[in-house]
DNA sequence: CTGCAAGTACGACGTGCATCGTACCTCAAG
DNA sequence: CTTGAGGTACGATGCACGTCGTACTTGCAG
């Protein structure tokens, strides 16, 4: 049925402190960076990020990211789709995602 | 004698995780934002930031900022000068300071 | 020299946060 | 219907962090 979960936090409700705290964690930052680097902005299955943690912790991190307003997720019941709220982020914090992507490029090279 | 303290962390030694963690704290972010908003880049006395904490905590925060590579301080013995490492930050994380300043403008209006 | 104000050092304390274990839910495949 | 994989809920644990108290250092003003 694909119900958009929890009405992803209010539009301009993005708080810089909350966002920075969310991005301060290495795993969460890796997720957002990976999403930001993918220009197609396709819907990702959150299992596809293979974080080195258990699935309970993964749930926790994705919840944190959703609460921070960085992603919105779509509940398929037994699976879940993740989507970056690129437009909202870019409008509120222009250049933020570029910083992450740039760092990503520097890291992998 | 004004000795440049502790050889402010290596040049390109700025780590995104460390920086984000440093900026995640409201008080530290306020300091950097204030510094970033001042285009003259003058040397500030760290007493002049009147954070709502004791001086021990202030020492801790400024130390954190210095360790993160965001500021360098000059030891005058009984007083201390604070200076934003704007050039280094801008070269490593272009646009980061602009984000803070933009948020500052939005907050005070 | 004697105060005083600014900073630092060290240690204590409370809270927040990342992590996991156990248990439960939900759908799809068989 | 049963099973298994993906996900969530709740609680426990351990560590990091922000905070402060006490004590010490440093330089300037008197």
């Amino acid at each position: 049925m694909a119900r958009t979960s929890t009405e992803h936090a209010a539009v301009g409700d993005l708080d810089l402190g909350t966002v920075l705290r969310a991005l301060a964690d290495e795993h969460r930052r890796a997720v957002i960076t990976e999403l930001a680097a993918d220009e197609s902005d396709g819907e990702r299955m959150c299992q596809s990020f293979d974080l080195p943690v258990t699935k309970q912790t993964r749930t926790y991190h994705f919840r944190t990211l959703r609460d921070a307003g960085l992603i919105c997720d779509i509940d398929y019941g037994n699976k879940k789709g993740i989507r970056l709220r690129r437009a909202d982020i870019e409008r509120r914090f222009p250049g933020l995602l570029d910083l992450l992507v740039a760092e990503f490029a520097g890291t992998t090279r």
Side-chain angles (χ1 to χ4, degrees), chain A:
Chain A
M1 207 66 55
R3 185 173 49 83
T4 305
S5 87
T6 347
E7 309 305 335
H8 57 283
V11 187
D13 204 21
L14 298 182
D15 172 60
L16 183 56
T18 306
V19 168
L20 290 180
R21 227 171 304 129
L23 293 177
D25 182 88
E26 207 171 351
H27 300 141
R28 289 192 294 259
R29 194 167 66 250
V31 169
I32 299 299
T33 299
E34 198 168 330
L35 284 170
D38 175 26
E39 302 180 3
S40 77
D41 272 350
E43 189 177 314
R44 289 277 300 266
M45 288 303 154
C46 75
Q47 161 234 359
S48 69
F49 289 95
D50 79 0
L51 301 172
V53 294
T54 62
K55 56 181 182 177
Q56 306 95 299
T57 305
R58 213 167 40 204
T59 296
Y60 164 72
H61 284 311
F62 281 115
R63 187 145 99 82
T64 303
L65 288 174
R66 181 167 55 77
D67 288 350
L70 293 174
I71 62 173
C72 64
D73 45 23
I74 303 168
D75 189 3
Y76 292 110
N78 67 342
K79 298 206 175 185
K80 205 168 79 172
I82 298 295
R83 193 182 291 275
L84 180 66
R85 296 180 58 185
R86 185 187 296 272
D88 293 334
I89 300 171
E90 198 58 35
R91 185 156 47 80
R92 185 88 170 73
F93 305 119
L96 176 60
L97 294 176
D98 295 335
L99 278 175
L100 300 180
V101 175
E103 185 71 3
F104 174 71
T107 305
T108 53
R109 186 163 329 152

